[in-house]
Amino acid sequence: MILSGIDPQAIEDAARRIRAGELVGFPTETVYGLGADASSDNAVAGIFAAKGRPSDHPLIVHVASARQVSDYAREVPAFAQRLIDTFWPGPLTVILLRKDGVAAAAAGGQNSIGLRCPAHPVALAFLKACLQLSVSGVAGPSANRFGRVSPTTAEHVAGEFGDDLLDRVEIGRVGGQVEQLCTRRADRLTDGGGLVAAEVVHHDDVARPQFGDQDLLDVGSEALAVDRPVDD
């Protein structure tokens, strides 16, 4: 089924599917994600099954805003809060200590959790619609089989899963930026993408990427790709 990324009713439908425990493919500014309710272990298990991904490999949880961080994180250190304030929404994942009993399956059983607030307007609208249905976060790894190249178009997603997962997806391209992964280990800040250390430390001098009017027009080709229920 194809749900238009610029149709509010379609986005609400996609959010209802997430609330019901189904999977939804959604665009971000980096790659397409395969999303499920982060608080539902059964729904998250569907992601691992569809991708063929080991269940002890943690998933990033996408949130609609920084306000949802406290739903998952035990605490937010000052350095992490500065990163969130500066680079969210955007392709930055912050790894924090996870609250006990929250999103254990999405975290791969680890005591930490990766959180991200994407900047793509379709992704944000989708996450906000999920939040309205009391889904505070969507676990969403890249929408591809485990070990394969991350998809930047809906056509790539269709090629990965086909009739095994998705009925059909509409062709659309996302930004393909390198996603940033920032955490602090042994008092060191580590980034896994294009943000160099100087940019992260001196974040006040970094210009955050913004979506302009043309970007908003371009998302007409994006789609929220909704799957048929995955068998347990």
Side-chain angles (χ1 to χ4, degrees), residues 58-127:
L59 309 176
I60 294 172
V61 175
H62 296 72
V63 295
S65 75
R67 289 187 292 274
Q68 281 70 61
V69 170
S70 61
D71 293 340
Y72 298 96
R74 192 183 311 170
E75 61 180 349
V76 183
F79 86 94
Q81 189 63 56
R82 289 196 299 272
L83 290 173
I84 289 169
D85 292 342
T86 302
F87 295 108
W88 279 15
L92 174 78
T93 295
V94 179
I95 298 178
L96 301 168
L97 289 176
R98 179 175 60 87
K99 281 185 174 179
D100 293 338
V102 175
Q110 299 186 18
N111 66 352
S112 59
I113 192 162
L115 300 170
R116 176 187 172 200
C117 178
H120 195 289
V122 174
L124 278 177
F126 169 57
L127 292 167

Side-chain angles (χ1 to χ4, degrees), residues 2-158:
I2 296 302
L3 300 177
S4 170
I6 57 173
D7 180 355
Q9 187 60 48
I11 289 177
E12 289 180 14
D13 186 18
R16 285 193 294 269
R17 291 170 181 270
I18 288 288
R19 184 68 179 86
E22 299 180 27
L23 305 184
V24 173
F26 63 100
T28 74
E29 72 274 47
T30 53
V31 299
Y32 269 80
L34 186 62
D37 182 351
S39 67
S40 169
D41 289 352
N42 286 337
V44 170
I47 292 179
F48 289 116
K51 287 177 61 73
R53 178 184 177 116
S55 61
D56 60 351
H57 286 215
L59 309 176
I60 294 172
V61 175
H62 296 72
V63 295
S65 75
R67 289 187 292 274
Q68 281 70 61
V69 170
S70 61
D71 293 340
Y72 298 96
R74 192 183 311 170
E75 61 180 349
V76 183
F79 86 94
Q81 189 63 56
R82 289 196 299 272
L83 290 173
I84 289 169
D85 292 342
T86 302
F87 295 108
W88 279 15
L92 174 78
T93 295
V94 179
I95 298 178
L96 301 168
L97 289 176
R98 179 175 60 87
K99 281 185 174 179
D100 293 338
V102 175
Q110 299 186 18
N111 66 352
S112 59
I113 192 162
L115 300 170
R116 176 187 172 200
C117 178
H120 195 289
V122 174
L124 278 177
F126 169 57
L127 292 167
K128 289 175 181 177
C130 289
L131 184 61
Q132 289 295 314
L133 298 177
S134 300
V135 176
S136 63
V138 173
S142 56
N144 55 275
R145 305 283 187 185
F146 183 65
R148 293 173 61 86
V149 176
S150 299
T152 57
T153 71
E155 186 177 38
H156 293 162
V157 180

Side-chain angles (χ1 to χ4, degrees), residues 77 79 82 95 182-190:
F79 86 94
R82 289 196 299 272
I95 298 178
C182 288
T183 182
R184 187 179 236 175
R185 302 246 175 97
D187 293 324
R188 290 190 306 133
L189 186 66
T190 304

